Amino acid sequence: MWGIVAGLVSYPVFSWYSKRFLDDQGLESGFTRMLLVFLVATILSSALGYGVSWLTTPAHTQSTQAALEKKSTVILGKELHCLQNPSSPACQSAAEQSKALENKLLGSLGAGSGQQ
């Protein structure tokens, strides 16, 4: 939460200093300069927000977040593998399980709406 606040508050400050710095360098006003100021302010405020968030997050939460990131990376890797080779046994099993879960969810949804 504090990371978001720090990023939002720091963006106008970084933007203003970027504009002044580019004025001192003699870069003329225009689209390129505006885009450069936007990118610099966005990158710096995001980095500050990330740093503040990292500092204010308790250690046990950081380890939980890291574990979730690892699990999601593994899941995405498996999905990418299934996109490249959908006929593999692991992908077929996952497709059957997802179809069964979908049928179960839709079946319970239809049974629940029929009772009303």
Side-chain angles (χ1 to χ4, degrees):
M1 179 67 187
W2 289 111
I4 294 172
V5 172
L8 288 173
V9 169
S10 67
Y11 182 84
V13 175
F14 286 132
S15 176
W16 186 81
Y17 276 109
S18 298
K19 287 178 187 177
R20 298 296 75 84
F21 178 76
L22 293 175
D23 279 341
D24 292 343
Q25 298 301 316
L27 187 62
E28 296 180 18
S29 295
F31 180 74
T32 305
R33 178 180 153 166
M34 184 176 60
L35 186 61
L36 186 60
V37 167
F38 171 75
L39 289 175
V40 167
T42 301
I43 290 169
L44 291 176
S45 66
S46 296
L48 178 69
Y50 178 77
V52 168
S53 179
W54 183 75
L55 287 173
T56 59
T57 303
H60 69 279
T61 306
Q62 287 178 353
S63 63
T64 304
Q65 289 174 347
L68 287 174
E69 287 175 7
K70 284 182 182 179
K71 287 180 183 179
S72 63
T73 303
V74 169
I75 290 170
L76 288 174
K78 288 180 182 177
E79 290 296 322
L80 181 61
H81 175 70
C82 285
L83 284 175
Q84 293 172 348
N85 186 11
S87 61
S88 71
C91 296
Q92 293 297 324
S93 173
E96 290 171 5
Q97 288 175 355
S98 67
K99 192 65 172 172
L101 179 61
E102 179 183 355
N103 289 336
K104 182 178 178 182
L105 290 173
L106 291 176
S108 66
L109 181 65
S113 63
Q115 293 175 352
Q116 291 179 357

